[in-house]
Amino acid sequence: MKKADDYVLFIDESGKSKFSDVGDHFLLCGLVINKDLNTALSNYMVSLKNKSGIPPDKNIHAFDLFEDEKIRGKRLKITKIITFFERLLRLIEGCEFRCYIVQVDKRPYINRIEKTARKNKIRPEIITKYLMLHDIHDLLYESLTSKLILEFGHFLHQEESIGEIMAESRRQDDHAALEAFVAATQSSNYLPETHYEMWSKHSFERIHGLTFQNKKGLSFGLEIADLFAWAHLNSAFGVSRPVSSKAKLSRINKRLLRVEKLLEGSLRKRKVETMTPAKIKTVASKRVTEFANKLKEYKKLSNFGAPTRSPW
């Protein structure tokens, strides 16, 4: 009997997911790669960093190296960055992996919060703190993570393989990924006879673990997921930069174009998926209902004389 291949889904974010965070857009990148291949490439990355004069003992972060042009707060020679960037892209081009990007516009949710705040004649920040108190402030991260997990379960079923998930640690917010994992692997959370119900069953059967990686760990998959997430957020939404040097801006934009082109060729569905409110409700209906109920609940509490100033 043929041994099933073992894959890893690496998850990394770009942008700010919480309702209280600045910024309208948020996305997750999911990179799927064979586990043995990832181990080999992670070891090779150590050599690649050494050859380019980059400290090999920590994960690289695209913003730090390719935008801020620093490592550990220290400026790096441009020639070293160029050398490493070119070698890294050649390495990625020769690898077999699959990539998913799911993105969301936070404004429909922010608008609902602001509407509730206006009706209650309070600041929107009070509503977001109320949602935080009831653990609903990270709804969008949970929803997009659930979507990636479902896609991964479907992929593993097609490949007759097994897999595990590795997400970059968000420290005190790691529970959001855990909650998404639990939700995505319970088929009762999805409508009967829908593809998400089937994908949920596949996820439960074939995904055998969820782990978190901190910034001190070394992982090729997580580094590339971070690179793609950084490039797409910047390319798609035009993130502003307080950079006065035209030469530096030119270097950054050229890197973004190169990475975005590489990303387009590796996307599993050949496109980035925008998660509309309707799609979010499909993959995380219980959490969306909780969000709506808490907004109604706050309005009801206010009508019964609850304080309109923040109790926190």
Side-chain angles (χ1 to χ4, degrees):
M1 182 176 179
K2 182 183 176 181
K3 181 182 177 182
D5 286 334
D6 198 348
Y7 289 90
V8 186
L9 167 66
F10 293 95
I11 299 176
D12 200 273
E13 64 184 298
S14 193
K16 302 294 184 179
S17 65
K18 297 175 185 175
F19 300 128
S20 57
D21 293 332
V22 176
D24 292 332
H25 297 95
F26 166 71
L27 64 83
L28 288 182
C29 176
L31 188 135
V32 177
I33 189 170
N34 179 278
K35 186 175 182 178
D36 292 337
L37 177 59
N38 179 70
T39 300
L41 291 173
S42 296
N43 291 331
Y44 183 78
M45 280 287 283
V46 173
S47 173
L48 195 63
K49 291 171 186 175
N50 273 323
K51 290 178 180 178
S52 304
I54 293 174
D57 57 339
K58 284 188 179 181
N59 274 337
I60 59 166
H61 286 264
F63 173 83
D64 295 339
L65 184 57
F66 300 131
E67 186 168 336
D68 207 25
E69 297 182 339
K70 294 179 181 178
I71 288 288
R72 298 175 182 171
K74 295 182 179 180
R75 192 165 300 281
L76 202 65
K77 288 184 178 179
I78 303 303
T79 53
K80 290 185 176 181
I81 296 175
I82 292 172
T83 300
F84 178 74
F85 183 74
E86 293 298 331
R87 289 172 174 172
L88 178 62
L89 261 56
R90 285 198 295 271
L91 177 62
I92 296 172
E93 287 171 346
C95 295
E96 184 177 348
F97 60 85
R98 292 161 177 81
C99 188
Y100 304 86
I101 286 190
V102 286
Q103 63 189 26
V104 65
D105 185 345
K106 294 162 57 179
R107 285 174 294 189
Y109 303 91
I110 300 300
N111 290 343
R112 292 182 67 178
I113 291 171
E114 290 177 345
K115 183 178 179 180
T116 301
R118 285 194 300 270
K119 286 184 176 181
N120 289 279
K121 298 180 180 179
I122 57 174
R123 301 190 315 276
E125 292 83 357
I126 296 175
I127 302 293
T128 57
K129 287 181 179 179
Y130 182 73
L131 294 173
M132 185 181 298
L133 181 68
H134 291 86
D135 198 29
I136 308 179
H137 61 298
D138 226 357
L139 163 68
L140 298 179
Y141 179 89
E142 290 180 36
S143 303
L144 268 59
T145 301
S146 291
K147 170 65 173 175
L148 289 179
I149 293 171
L150 291 166
E151 292 280 3
F152 187 43
H154 176 53
F155 163 80
L156 293 174
H157 174 72
Q158 290 182 316
E159 298 292 321
E160 297 183 352
S161 299
I162 58 174
E164 61 190 90
I165 301 166
M166 180 176 288
E168 182 172 29
S169 176
R170 304 167 78 225
R171 298 184 180 180
Q172 69 271 17
D173 293 322
D174 282 346
H175 65 90
L178 181 58
E179 289 175 6
F181 177 72
V182 172
T185 53
Q186 291 183 352
S187 59
S188 60
N189 287 328
Y190 305 96
L191 293 174
E193 300 181 2
T194 61
H195 66 279
Y196 281 144
E197 182 197 35
M198 188 60 66
W199 292 6
S200 178
K201 291 178 180 178
H202 298 330
S203 299
F204 178 79
E205 293 166 357
R206 295 183 176 274
I207 301 175
H208 55 77
L210 167 67
T211 57
F212 298 95
Q213 176 80 65
N214 62 29
K215 292 184 178 181
K216 294 182 179 180
L218 298 175
S219 172
F220 172 82
L222 210 53
E223 289 177 308
I224 304 309
D226 172 79
L227 176 67
F228 284 156
W230 165 77
H232 186 71
L233 185 77
N234 280 266
S235 300
F237 304 114
V239 178
S240 61
R241 302 181 189 85
V243 178
S244 57
S245 169
K246 291 183 178 180
K248 183 175 181 179
L249 279 172
S250 177
R251 291 195 300 270
I252 294 170
N253 289 330
K254 286 179 181 178
R255 291 170 193 149
L256 288 170
L257 287 172
R258 294 277 303 279
V259 177
E260 188 72 2
K261 186 176 180 180
L262 193 59
L263 170 63
E264 289 174 1
S266 64
L267 285 171
R268 174 67 174 174
K269 292 192 170 182
R270 300 303 174 192
K271 64 177 183 178
V272 173
E273 184 167 5
T274 298
M275 297 296 289
T276 63
K279 288 183 177 181
I280 293 287
K281 189 172 182 179
T282 302
V283 297
S285 60
K286 287 185 178 180
R287 296 296 276 163
V288 171
T289 300
E290 289 174 14
F291 170 76
N293 287 343
K294 288 302 174 186
L295 293 182
K296 292 177 182 177
E297 182 181 285
Y298 194 94
K299 181 180 177 181
K300 187 175 181 181
L301 288 171
S302 180
N303 289 338
F304 279 93
T308 56
R309 287 187 295 177
S310 173
W312 300 278

